[in-house]
Amino acid sequence: MLEFLRYHNKAERDLAGFIHNIFGFYPRNISLYKLAFTHKSMSAKLSGKITVSNERLEYLGDAVLSSIVAEYLFKKFPTKQEGFLTEMRSRIVSRASLNKLSYKFGFEKQIYYVKSHDAHGKFRCIGGNTFEAFTGAVFLDKGYDFTYKIIVDNVIKLHLDIDDIEKNEVNFKSKLLEWSQKYKHHIEYKIVETKGESYDKLYVIQVFIDDKGYGKASDYSIKGAEQLASEKTWHVLEEDFED
């Protein structure tokens, strides 16, 4: 276990062991992974006036993960067109999908965040963000090719049923945007209310089509609220279609 010589304390060794047990590798730069599992609610406590959290890694990981999934789908479905590939990628990297993966991997036991009375509800939102940040950390630590192999072999092939995703999952925001483009409607997502502050903020999003209000929903992430509001709106439109 010579890998453990590079880790300075028990917390680092525990985190490295967790990553190895789930993904089969030991980090080179453990600091990247510590940062990946640090939610912004802890940033003030850790650094005073300097904000240190996983938000920047989340930004990077989002782009890397999207690229990996796009490449994987491009190779897996050589005859499918752009629309199909885009929709499948959207389903795989959706907040709901990444939240489920993070829960399955046990990320909630590793994330450093302020545990309030509603911690469980917030984790439902920050799990997917942490997964993206983790992907960003792997990319910086090991490079794109290594990250691609980890995501494809240890995540997609082991924990995602691509055929099931193709048949069953629905990205209502994508469906709504496609519908609006096809029939020349203007669609807009507006934050109509916020509750709480900083990491404790709840977003209330409403869908507007040609300036008329439709579905409204709330979530601790804007993406999550948009998806829920899109689903409500789509069901309203379906009723209109039937009339």
Side-chain angles (χ1 to χ4, degrees):
M1 304 295 287
L2 295 178
E3 295 90 349
F4 276 78
L5 294 177
R6 67 168 66 101
Y7 310 127
H8 298 100
N9 53 53
K10 185 177 184 300
E12 292 186 355
R13 290 192 291 272
D14 287 346
L15 178 57
F18 168 79
I19 292 170
H20 181 264
N21 289 338
I22 301 297
F23 299 101
F25 73 93
Y26 286 106
R28 279 198 296 258
N29 185 352
I30 192 65
S31 296
L32 288 170
Y33 300 86
K34 290 166 64 177
L35 186 60
F37 284 98
T38 301
H39 184 246
K40 61 184 178 181
S41 63
M42 295 294 291
S43 60
K45 289 188 175 183
L46 293 176
S47 59
K49 295 182 179 180
I50 301 175
T51 300
V52 177
S53 72
N54 62 7
E55 287 188 299
R56 281 171 54 83
L57 281 175
E58 178 191 337
Y59 160 78
L60 177 62
D62 178 37
V64 173
L65 188 60
S66 181
S67 177
I68 289 172
V69 173
E71 181 180 348
Y72 171 78
L73 293 173
F74 185 84
K75 294 174 180 177
K76 181 175 177 61
F77 299 103
T79 63
K80 295 291 187 179
Q81 298 302 309
E82 178 188 3
F84 170 87
L85 298 174
T86 299
E87 174 64 17
M88 283 294 291
R89 179 181 61 183
S90 178
R91 294 179 185 183
I92 291 172
V93 302
S94 70
R95 187 62 52 221
S97 176
L98 298 185
N99 284 340
K100 289 177 183 177
L101 285 170
S102 67
Y103 181 80
K104 182 180 292 188
F105 293 142
F107 275 20
E108 78 277 11
K109 299 175 183 177
Q110 304 297 326
I111 300 175
Y112 294 98
Y113 66 104
V114 173
K115 297 175 175 63
S116 70
H117 65 281
D118 191 31
H120 179 74
K122 293 183 183 63
F123 175 73
R124 178 174 54 84
C125 303
I126 67 176
N129 296 342
T130 302
F131 186 87
E132 289 177 339
F134 172 79
T135 303
V138 179
F139 171 73
L140 291 177
D141 189 37
K142 302 281 191 174
Y144 179 84
D145 290 343
F146 184 91
T147 309
Y148 179 91
K149 183 174 177 59
I150 288 295
I151 295 299
V152 171
D153 292 347
N154 295 70
V155 178
I156 295 176
K157 291 183 178 180
L158 289 182
H159 297 282
L160 293 178
D161 188 331
I162 298 299
D163 293 333
D164 186 60
I165 291 174
E166 180 182 355
K167 294 175 183 176
N168 298 320
E169 284 200 27
V170 177
N171 185 320
F172 287 98
K173 185 176 180 181
S174 292
K175 287 175 69 70
L176 199 56
L177 291 173
E178 289 176 6
W179 172 84
S180 66
Q181 292 171 359
K182 181 177 181 179
Y183 294 103
K184 311 300 182 184
H185 292 287
H186 175 70
I187 186 168
E188 187 176 5
Y189 292 83
K190 294 183 179 180
I191 300 176
V192 296
E193 185 181 1
T194 60
K195 303 175 183 178
E197 298 180 357
S198 186
Y199 64 88
D200 199 30
K201 186 175 291 185
L202 184 73
Y203 298 92
V204 181
I205 301 286
Q206 185 168 13
V207 177
F208 288 83
I209 301 177
D210 299 329
D211 295 324
K212 178 181 178 181
Y214 281 81
K216 183 190 298 184
S218 61
D219 198 282
Y220 284 102
S221 74
I222 293 176
K223 289 182 180 179
E226 287 179 345
Q227 188 63 237
L228 292 171
S230 297
E231 181 175 359
K232 290 183 178 180
T233 301
W234 185 258
H235 292 321
V236 170
L237 293 176
E238 282 185 323
E239 293 178 2
D240 292 342
F241 298 156
E242 293 173 357
D243 293 341

